[in-house]
Amino acid sequence: MTIAVETLGKIERRLTISLSLVEVREEVEKRLKIRARTVKAPGFRQGKVPMKMVAAQFGYQIETEVLNDKVGRAFNDAVVANNLRVAGYPKIDAKTNENGTENQANDVLSFDATFEIYPEVTVGDLSGVDIAQVKVDVSEAEIDKTIDVLRKQRVHYHAKGEQSAHGDGGEPVAQKGDRVTLDFVGRIDGTEFQGGKADNYVFVLGEGTMLPEFEAAALGLKVGDSKVFPLPFPADYHGKDVAGKTAEFTITLKKIEWAHLPEVDSEFAKTLGVPDGDVQKMREGIKENLEREVERRVKAKNKDAVMDALIQVSDLEVPKALINQDVQRLSEMTRNDMLQRGMKVKDVPLPEELFVPQAERRVRLGLILAEVVKVNALQAQPEQVKAQVEEFAQSYENPAEVVKYYYADRSRLAEVEALVLEDNVVNYVLGQAKAQEKHMAFDELMENRAAA
């Protein structure tokens, strides 16, 4: 058996493996004899089936196994002998002659194994790179906005115009913010259409759950009022039967309810988990939660900036084999996520090219991070991992159980180690680069991360 290594590019290599045809046939014959001991066939006792019949039934399978074993062993031996770090899996092809048939000259079988190796990663000078480090303050205004959101989540409604403990809500006319109940029927060319009719339909005016023309028609109506109006459906409307057409709707208003938001008082504070109803404690608790969320998002945004900087200064050729593997992984993750959401995955095309940019970035960053960690000894230390686990645990009722949960499973702990390692890299890069503080508005940060 002979092996030759050929360089095809920066990271592409080819191994030519030559096997003795005699040795292959001897191994095939040896395995056929072993298989013959247990073979059964009509008219023959077990182990007494003629070798010709055994070879006819199992010869191709065993020959394939022998070739796979010998080529695989030869490839691995060559990789070790030449100190090669293989990225992905090799592509094995039988060498062919001019006629396109397998080359078996001089009783030799030859194969080409084409593969990629891990690239050399060169991380450039970070000292001249500017990295904007986002800083976001949580002010009283953000606390007030959050309280407003919490109040809206606890809204309750009263019949408009009828006296209640909170008042009558003013004139009993449908206005924005009111919850209305109505019957409606829509017709196109005088004919009702599917989905165009409902009784006792409830929605809140101004929330955009209905088409603008529909909401506008309900404004100003009183209980018992009816109204007929045209409603043009957008060309891209989800209902294909009515998309781009104009319907005539008749609505009859049956109920108007006005929204009462709870007062910011001790009772409201208790609903948010403040036992003694202290409003100031409630605000402090909200601020702590906001600051925790801001810290999480800012950390993620700043980490992205560091990763972009590393990509900017690093030079390497990314192995296509690793990109393809990650494309498959991302595609599978997406399909599983869709299944969990109840979507019919078979009906949704997922072209692999959709995942290539993300996969290429992930692989590139993985190679760069590995190099930075190795060169600068930034591996996660046990005390760092422990501190991170304990920090996670603080947000739970029983921190000790959470700590135990992580340390009971090596894979869970490995996830924490990966986070610590990333933090080590981020801190290292920020220490080398020109980190400049950049103030960002609270709302911008929240919208930015949601969009991402």
Side-chain angles (χ1 to χ4, degrees):
M1 178 175 63
T2 58
I3 300 174
V5 182
E6 185 179 357
T7 299
L8 303 180
K10 282 187 177 180
I11 60 173
E12 191 174 18
R13 301 287 185 272
R14 181 166 59 207
L15 283 174
T16 298
I17 302 170
S18 298
L19 304 177
S20 165
L21 185 58
V22 173
E23 291 181 3
V24 170
R25 287 172 175 167
E26 287 177 351
E27 181 64 23
V28 171
E29 185 176 352
K30 176 182 176 182
R31 295 191 187 188
L32 279 173
K33 289 179 178 178
I34 294 174
R35 179 64 62 88
R37 298 172 187 169
T38 57
V39 171
K40 297 179 181 179
F44 298 94
R45 287 182 296 154
Q46 180 176 326
K48 299 298 181 180
V49 179
M51 283 299 298
K52 286 186 178 180
M53 293 180 63
V54 176
Q57 185 176 355
F58 299 103
Y60 178 77
Q61 174 190 339
I62 289 178
E63 181 178 335
T64 301
E65 291 175 356
V66 169
L67 288 175
N68 285 340
D69 289 347
K70 286 186 173 294
V71 170
R73 190 179 304 114
F75 178 80
N76 291 333
D77 290 344
V79 165
V80 172
N82 290 275
N83 197 28
L84 299 173
R85 294 181 62 223
V86 179
Y89 299 101
K91 181 177 181 292
I92 308 292
D93 295 304
K95 289 181 72 70
T96 57
N97 55 29
E98 295 178 356
N99 299 323
T101 57
E102 290 186 8
N103 188 354
Q104 299 185 9
N106 300 320
D107 291 330
V108 170
L109 287 174
S110 296
F111 298 86
D112 282 337
T114 307
F115 59 97
E116 292 173 300
I117 61 173
Y118 278 88
E120 290 187 8
V121 180
T122 302
V123 180
D125 185 11
L126 288 161
S127 62
V129 179
D130 292 326
I131 302 179
Q133 290 296 282
V134 172
K135 179 174 173 43
V136 177
D137 296 322
V138 177
S139 68
E140 293 298 311
E142 277 69 58
I143 298 174
D144 291 337
K145 289 178 184 177
T146 303
I147 289 175
D148 285 341
V149 171
L150 294 170
R151 291 175 71 203
K152 289 176 182 177
Q153 291 174 351
R154 291 160 176 76
V155 66
H156 54 278
Y157 292 88
H158 302 278
K160 201 166 189 180
E162 297 181 8
Q163 191 62 40
S164 70
H166 304 293
D168 60 8
E171 186 180 0
V173 176
Q175 297 175 330
K176 282 187 178 181
D178 289 342
R179 185 169 70 181
V180 296
T181 302
L182 50 75
D183 297 341
F184 67 81
V185 58
R187 298 180 178 85
I188 296 178
D189 297 329
T191 303
E192 294 183 15
F193 57 90
Q194 186 176 3
K197 181 178 182 180
D199 293 331
N200 297 317
Y201 191 81
V202 180
F203 66 96
V204 177
L205 287 168
E207 289 190 347
T209 56
M210 306 295 285
L211 289 173
E213 295 84 355
F214 198 103
E215 291 204 1
L219 290 171
L221 297 184
K222 296 182 178 180
V223 173
D225 287 350
S226 294
K227 189 172 185 177
V228 179
F229 61 96
L231 192 155
F233 286 97
D236 59 352
Y237 191 70
H238 59 82
K240 296 181 180 179
D241 293 339
V242 299
K245 299 179 181 179
T246 297
E248 182 182 78
F249 271 88
T250 300
I251 60 174
T252 301
L253 192 61
K254 302 177 75 173
K255 184 189 293 185
I256 308 173
E257 297 170 293
W258 65 281
H260 175 261
L261 298 175
E263 302 297 331
V264 182
D265 53 19
S266 61
E267 290 303 315
F268 180 72
K270 288 178 182 178
T271 66
L272 296 180
V274 182
D276 61 3
D278 189 313
V279 174
Q280 184 57 36
K281 286 183 182 178
M282 175 194 73
R283 293 183 66 87
E284 291 171 357
I286 291 173
K287 184 177 183 180
E288 288 178 5
N289 289 333
L290 289 177
E291 288 176 338
R292 191 179 298 114
E293 179 63 14
V294 164
E295 182 183 5
R296 184 183 68 82
R297 296 191 182 213
V298 164
K299 184 177 181 180
K301 189 168 184 63
N302 289 339
K303 185 183 80 171
D304 288 344
V306 166
M307 298 307 161
D308 289 341
L310 281 172
I311 288 176
Q312 178 186 333
V313 302
S314 299
D315 180 40
L316 71 156
E317 186 166 338
V318 183
K320 295 182 178 63
L322 297 184
I323 294 175
N324 292 336
Q325 286 179 12
D326 207 53
V327 164
Q328 297 299 321
R329 187 159 39 247
L330 290 171
S331 177
E332 188 64 25
M333 288 169 57
T334 301
R335 289 188 178 277
N336 289 337
D337 182 63
M338 293 169 68
L339 282 171
Q340 290 177 1
R341 295 172 184 268
M343 300 176 66
K344 295 181 179 179
V345 177
K346 291 183 180 180
D347 300 335
V348 182
L350 288 176
E352 290 189 351
E353 54 267 25
L354 290 175
F355 304 99
V356 171
Q358 183 184 359
E360 196 275 341
R361 177 181 169 85
R362 280 161 52 102
V363 174
R364 182 179 295 274
L365 273 174
L367 295 171
I368 295 171
L369 290 177
E371 181 68 14
V372 173
V373 170
K374 181 181 71 174
V375 171
N376 300 285
L378 300 176
Q379 291 81 2
Q381 301 302 312
E383 61 272 15
Q384 292 180 303
V385 175
K386 181 181 179 183
Q388 184 67 76
V389 169
E390 290 175 347
E391 183 180 334
F392 287 159
Q394 292 308 309
S395 59
Y396 293 87
E397 291 184 6
N398 193 333
E401 286 299 317
V402 176
V403 171
K404 184 178 178 181
Y405 167 82
Y406 275 102
Y407 278 91
D409 189 313
R410 188 66 191 83
S411 62
R412 296 176 195 142
L413 208 57
E415 293 176 1
V416 180
E417 289 172 352
L419 293 176
V420 171
L421 187 146
E422 284 189 352
D423 287 345
N424 288 348
V425 172
V426 169
N427 292 333
Y428 169 78
V429 173
L430 291 178
Q432 299 293 313
K434 296 178 182 177
Q436 299 180 351
E437 192 173 275
K438 174 187 175 183
H439 284 270
M440 177 181 285
F442 177 87
D443 290 343
E444 182 183 354
L445 174 70
M446 296 301 176
E447 291 173 4
N448 184 281
R449 290 303 300 175

